Amino acid sequence: MDKKYLLAPGPTPIPPEVLLSMAEPIIHHRAPVFSTLFDEVKKGLKYVFQTKNGVLIFASSGTGGMEGAIVNTLSKGDKAIVVRGGKFGERWGQLCQAYGVEPVFIDVEWGRSVNPETIFDILKKDPGIKAVCIQASETSTGVSHDVKRIGEYVKKLDNTITIVDAITALGVYDIKTDEWGLDVVVAGSQKAFMLPPGLAFVSMSEKAWKFAEKSNLPKFYFDFKKEKKNQEKNQTAYTPAVSLIVGLSKVLNSIQKEGIEKVFQRHHKLAEATRTAMKALGLELLAKDFPSDACTAILAPAGIDGQQVVKILREKHGMTIAGGQDHLKGKIFRIAHLGYFDKFDIIIAVAGVEIVLKELGAKIELGKGVRVAEEILGG
Amino acid sequence: MDKKYLLAPGPTPIPPEVLLSMAEPIIHHRAPVFSTLFDEVKKGLKYVFQTKNGVLIFASSGTGGMEGAIVNTLSKGDKAIVVRGGKFGERWGQLCQAYGVEPVFIDVEWGRSVNPETIFDILKKDPGIKAVCIQASETSTGVSHDVKRIGEYVKKLDNTITIVDAITALGVYDIKTDEWGLDVVVAGSQKAFMLPPGLAFVSMSEKAWKFAEKSNLPKFYFDFKKEKKNQEKNQTAYTPAVSLIVGLSKVLNSIQKEGIEKVFQRHHKLAEATRTAMKALGLELLAKDFPSDACTAILAPAGIDGQQVVKILREKHGMTIAGGQDHLKGKIFRIAHLGYFDKFDIIIAVAGVEIVLKELGAKIELGKGVRVAEEILGG
């Protein structure tokens, strides 16, 4: 027997009934049945995004949505603040540079959350800056940024928008797109949406659409205005990823049934249990402040290679967690708790870490982490 | 009972065993098992593309692959011949214009194949033209263009490449990418590859990669050089559409088992049977020359609305075929025969058309088309 456990921050596990819905014979995207489905899905996305505005759907991974966010709102030579506190913060910078937008980098130590005041100071000194590009949850470090405060500040500025990568945040913890004034919010199917990778979602505020009117960057596949026109009529400009949209409708029904507040509470409890269990084992979290409820990054104990933890868990125990990226490779390992996760997923993640760290010679008391996790999760 | 029959040119039906393979628990794209799968899939794609060069895989619909083909090989201000003989020919033009490439249009009547000499004459007069953008099979009209002759001609030119949309041609009829010197060839998952939409495939010749070195158009998500570097190591730059790649490996195994020559023969026979049956019913094909083996476009008889044929087939008989696009809307209907199609799919398509045309008052002898189809398909 070779039983598998997927506990990485995307792709995340998919509910069996959703997998089976996507295995039904494919429907044609120009048939009325697809339009009805698309209309439902749009409503469900608005609910999860907490927005009254439309949420665009693309056949691409999340990065495609991030590219669209830049090329549809900014113009050549524009300046954009880029909060660079992890691998995905770097991606905003690369995207800006690829299209001739000038990034104004705020470098944040990997494992720290940005101080919003730093952003506000830069905006005060240079009100010509067009956008603040940031992650709601920086998956590479397990840290969240305070997009609420940043959104509420930028909301008052006429000349600047917020562009938020919420790929691992949306549907995990509270992101009030409209209330906080988040102008562009990007999400992806393979995270809290419990689907295979292949769909990107993007919401745009009225203010962002005004920016779109002036944007002169080239675009075609990720042309938001064209998609908006089509998707308002329950169609897409180019062939949509039909089977994923079928799965999406199932998932959105399930999220709406559970209720978004309960979804957030569940994630928070799972994250808290994970963090507390790791600390009980004497391990240190990478996140020094504002740990994300999507995923927990843990420093490998002295003398132990984080990549070995990942490798042995996978090869010997059938469990997939994530390692560190770039300069964090070998220094950390990451446990996800977003999407189709419940208490016993966290129990086995903690048990897996205990078993492997012990095996690698770390001073670990087996069961100690699980015990505190049970205390939190049992209630 | 509400049994459905999908006979449209994409999405096309998916073999049940492929649907079920995609319903297996999702695997992590950074795990070795994914890399092994990806390596297999790359080999299978080379087989179908008939190329020794790598075939890049993107999480997007085919249009994303078309965008990549332009932005990775051309530069601002370059001229490109665009053969415009249908909706997808128009798309090449729109794509060029979106990125500041100047299209040199060759307008071809919808339903006709381009005369390759017209292309050669323009290239002789203006050797500065960098690319010939064309469809191998123009799905909107059911016509194929002679990409063999065009490829073999352009192959000899240092300064020009061929960029071929083979989305509904590849895996349907013979496209010898390397032998004919086709520099960039684009395909998509939801056609002869028998998968849901969501994957684009692109092959690049050595000559095309030389063009890529000089290309200055902006790109990020569809950055071919970055993807090549990653995909050579059996990874992707951004999260791949994992479940579709799992399905792709199944499909490629099946195509290799059948043998590509047999796949072509099967499609040709199905197409011939469809065309002959329609003519036997007294109907006229839109394709005046070089009908495509992927899909047959049929002119609605005088006084009958082609959209009505599509609508009644769908609503009353559960059968999805395609109507006409843009100015052909109402004038034609289209029957697909690409991918997971066998003889009895054609029999029911012909029967469906006979039943509905009769119902709409056309002078149709029931069973006449089916009889000639059986003659061809039975052998």
Side-chain angles (χ1 to χ4, degrees):
Chain A
M1 198 170 72
D2 188 24
K3 208 164 169 185
K4 301 285 184 202
Y5 302 89
L6 179 59
L7 299 157
T12 59
I14 301 163
E17 63 274 20
V18 176
L19 284 169
L20 288 173
S21 76
M22 294 186 292
E24 286 169 18
I26 195 149
I27 54 175
H28 195 258
H29 60 297
R30 303 297 183 207
V33 59
F34 179 80
S35 295
T36 308
L37 189 77
F38 200 82
D39 195 46
E40 254 180 55
V41 155
K42 286 193 313 187
K43 283 177 199 148
L45 284 175
K46 283 183 188 187
Y47 174 77
V48 180
F49 272 73
Q50 303 188 57
T51 180
K52 285 182 180 166
N53 301 305
V55 179
L56 300 172
I57 303 176
F58 292 89
S60 79
S61 60
T63 302
M66 290 172 71
E67 173 161 338
I70 298 293
V71 299
N72 282 279
T73 58
L74 302 179
S75 293
K76 209 171 163 87
D78 278 356
K79 284 193 219 172
I81 288 176
V82 168
V83 175
R84 191 159 58 168
K87 190 167 177 70
F88 295 95
E90 284 181 349
R91 186 160 298 171
W92 279 134
Q94 292 157 354
L95 258 166
C96 287
Q97 285 163 339
Y99 282 92
V101 169
E102 191 190 317
V104 179
F105 287 114
I106 299 180
D107 280 310
V108 180
E109 190 194 331
W110 287 34
R112 293 267 178 199
S113 185
V114 70
N115 180 354
E117 298 292 341
T118 315
I119 297 172
F120 307 158
D121 286 347
I122 293 174
L123 287 173
K124 273 172 209 154
K125 275 179 212 147
D126 188 351
I129 290 173
K130 287 280 164 55
V132 178
C133 301
I134 191 162
Q135 272 60 41
S137 170
E138 171 59 66
T139 323
S140 63
T141 62
V143 167
S144 63
H145 293 301
D146 191 352
V147 292
K148 177 176 190 288
R149 259 191 84 196
I150 296 160
E152 285 171 346
Y153 181 90
V154 173
K155 198 180 179 176
K156 291 177 233 145
L157 309 176
D158 288 336
N159 196 42
T160 313
I161 54 172
T162 42
I163 300 181
V164 180
D165 162 6
I167 294 172
T168 47
L170 209 93
V172 175
Y173 54 87
D174 204 9
I175 302 283
K176 294 197 194 298
T177 300
D178 287 0
E179 197 179 314
W180 301 351
L182 305 176
D183 296 297
V184 191
V185 176
V186 183
S189 55
Q190 78 277 25
K191 310 287 182 176
F193 288 96
M194 306 178 264
L195 290 172
L199 292 179
F201 313 122
V202 189
S203 74
M204 293 270 288
S205 70
E206 267 180 51
K207 190 175 165 191
W209 282 116
K210 274 182 204 151
F211 275 57
E213 285 306 315
K214 289 180 199 159
S215 161
N216 69 9
L217 294 178
K219 54 233 164 209
F220 190 84
Y221 186 71
F222 296 116
D223 184 334
F224 284 7
K225 276 201 271 182
K226 197 193 227 168
E227 278 300 341
K228 182 173 187 266
K229 227 174 109 181
N230 279 276
Q231 297 195 10
E232 280 174 353
K233 293 183 280 183
N234 293 322
Q235 274 299 333
T236 55
Y238 314 114
T239 313
V242 177
S243 57
L244 296 179
I245 289 172
V246 168
L248 180 60
S249 82
K250 285 263 172 199
V251 162
L252 289 170
N253 281 342
S254 136
I255 292 176
Q256 288 172 90
K257 208 171 151 195
E258 184 176 359
I260 195 77
E261 285 303 327
K262 287 227 168 122
V263 170
F264 297 152
Q265 285 161 20
R266 172 168 53 82
H267 281 107
H268 183 65
K269 207 168 181 179
L270 300 177
E272 267 300 300
T274 309
R275 294 189 285 253
T276 314
M278 291 300 128
K279 286 188 214 154
L281 290 171
L283 300 172
E284 198 184 330
L285 306 187
L286 177 68
K288 296 291 165 285
D289 41 20
F290 303 99
S292 166
D293 282 352
C295 144
T296 298
I298 299 122
L299 290 165
I304 286 176
D305 178 1
Q307 288 304 104
Q308 277 299 104
V309 176
V310 175
K311 194 169 178 252
I312 295 174
L313 266 176
R314 187 180 58 228
E315 293 180 358
K316 194 164 164 189
H317 307 289
M319 184 178 289
T320 300
I321 64 166
Q325 291 165 299
D326 297 342
H327 70 263
L328 288 178
K329 199 162 190 164
K331 297 201 175 117
I332 62 166
F333 54 90
R334 291 175 296 150
I335 297 169
H337 26 70
L338 78 167
Y340 189 55
F341 274 81
D342 202 354
K343 54 172 87 76
F344 295 110
D345 297 305
I346 301 307
I347 298 291
I348 62 167
V350 175
V353 168
E354 289 179 348
I355 289 167
V356 168
L357 285 181
K358 180 98 181 175
E359 206 172 326
L360 286 169
K363 278 191 179 168
I364 289 286
E365 187 190 319
L366 287 182
K368 194 174 181 184
V370 169
R371 192 173 65 232
V372 304
E374 281 180 24
E375 277 162 18
I376 294 172
L377 296 166
Chain B
M1 199 171 73
D2 188 22
K3 207 164 169 185
K4 301 285 184 202
Y5 302 89
L6 179 59
L7 299 157
T12 59
I14 302 163
E17 63 274 20
V18 176
L19 284 169
L20 289 173
S21 76
M22 294 186 292
E24 286 168 19
I26 195 150
I27 55 175
H28 195 259
H29 59 298
R30 303 298 183 207
V33 60
F34 179 79
S35 295
T36 308
L37 190 77
F38 200 82
D39 195 46
E40 253 180 55
V41 155
K42 286 193 314 188
K43 282 177 200 149
L45 284 175
K46 283 184 186 185
Y47 173 78
V48 181
F49 272 72
Q50 303 187 56
T51 180
K52 285 183 180 167
N53 300 306
V55 179
L56 299 172
I57 303 177
F58 292 89
S60 80
S61 59
T63 302
M66 290 172 72
E67 173 161 339
I70 298 293
V71 299
N72 283 279
T73 57
L74 302 179
S75 293
K76 209 170 163 86
D78 279 355
K79 285 194 219 170
I81 288 177
V82 167
V83 175
R84 192 159 57 167
K87 191 167 177 68
F88 295 95
E90 284 181 350
R91 186 159 298 170
W92 278 133
Q94 292 157 354
L95 258 166
C96 287
Q97 285 162 338
Y99 282 92
V101 169
E102 191 191 317
V104 179
F105 286 114
I106 299 180
D107 280 310
V108 180
E109 191 194 331
W110 288 33
R112 292 267 178 200
S113 186
V114 70
N115 179 352
E117 297 292 341
T118 315
I119 297 173
F120 307 159
D121 285 347
I122 293 175
L123 287 174
K124 273 173 209 154
K125 275 179 212 146
D126 188 351
I129 289 173
K130 286 280 164 54
V132 178
C133 301
I134 191 162
Q135 272 60 41
S137 169
E138 171 58 67
T139 323
S140 63
T141 62
V143 167
S144 63
H145 293 302
D146 191 352
V147 291
K148 177 176 189 286
R149 256 191 86 195
I150 296 160
E152 285 171 346
Y153 181 90
V154 173
K155 199 181 179 177
K156 291 178 231 143
L157 309 176
D158 288 336
N159 195 43
T160 313
I161 54 172
T162 42
I163 300 181
V164 180
D165 162 7
I167 294 173
T168 48
L170 209 94
V172 175
Y173 54 87
D174 204 9
I175 301 284
K176 295 196 194 297
T177 300
D178 287 359
E179 196 179 315
W180 301 350
L182 305 176
D183 295 298
V184 191
V185 176
V186 183
S189 55
Q190 79 276 23
K191 310 287 181 176
F193 288 96
M194 306 179 264
L195 290 172
L199 292 179
F201 313 122
V202 189
S203 73
M204 292 270 287
S205 69
E206 267 180 51
K207 190 174 165 191
W209 282 115
K210 275 183 203 149
F211 275 57
E213 285 306 316
K214 290 181 198 158
S215 161
N216 69 9
L217 294 178
K219 55 234 165 207
F220 190 83
Y221 186 72
F222 296 115
D223 184 333
F224 285 6
K225 276 201 271 183
K226 197 193 227 168
E227 278 300 341
K228 182 173 186 265
K229 227 174 109 182
N230 279 275
Q231 297 194 10
E232 281 174 351
K233 291 184 280 184
N234 293 322
Q235 274 299 333
T236 55
Y238 313 114
T239 313
V242 177
S243 57
L244 296 179
I245 289 172
V246 168
L248 180 60
S249 81
K250 285 262 172 201
V251 162
L252 289 170
N253 281 342
S254 136
I255 291 176
Q256 288 172 89
K257 207 172 151 194
E258 183 175 358
I260 195 76
E261 285 303 326
K262 286 226 168 124
V263 170
F264 298 152
Q265 285 162 20
R266 172 168 53 83
H267 281 108
H268 183 65
K269 207 167 180 179
L270 300 178
E272 267 299 301
T274 310
R275 294 188 285 252
T276 314
M278 291 300 128
K279 285 188 216 156
L281 290 171
L283 300 172
E284 197 184 330
L285 306 187
L286 177 67
K288 296 291 165 286
D289 41 20
F290 303 99
S292 166
D293 282 351
C295 144
T296 299
I298 300 123
L299 290 166
I304 287 176
D305 178 0
Q307 288 304 104
Q308 277 300 103
V309 177
V310 175
K311 194 169 178 254
I312 295 174
L313 266 176
R314 187 179 57 228
E315 293 180 359
K316 194 165 164 188
H317 306 288
M319 184 179 289
T320 300
I321 64 167
Q325 291 165 299
D326 297 341
H327 70 263
L328 288 179
K329 200 163 190 163
K331 298 201 175 118
I332 61 166
F333 54 90
R334 291 175 296 151
I335 297 169
H337 26 71
L338 78 166
Y340 189 55
F341 274 80
D342 202 354
K343 55 172 87 77
F344 295 110
D345 297 304
I346 300 307
I347 298 291
I348 62 167
V350 175
V353 168
E354 288 179 349
I355 288 167
V356 169
L357 285 182
K358 180 99 182 175
E359 207 172 324
L360 286 169
K363 278 191 179 166
I364 288 286
E365 186 191 318
L366 287 182
K368 194 174 181 183
V370 170
R371 192 173 64 232
V372 304
E374 280 180 25
E375 277 163 16
I376 294 172
L377 295 166

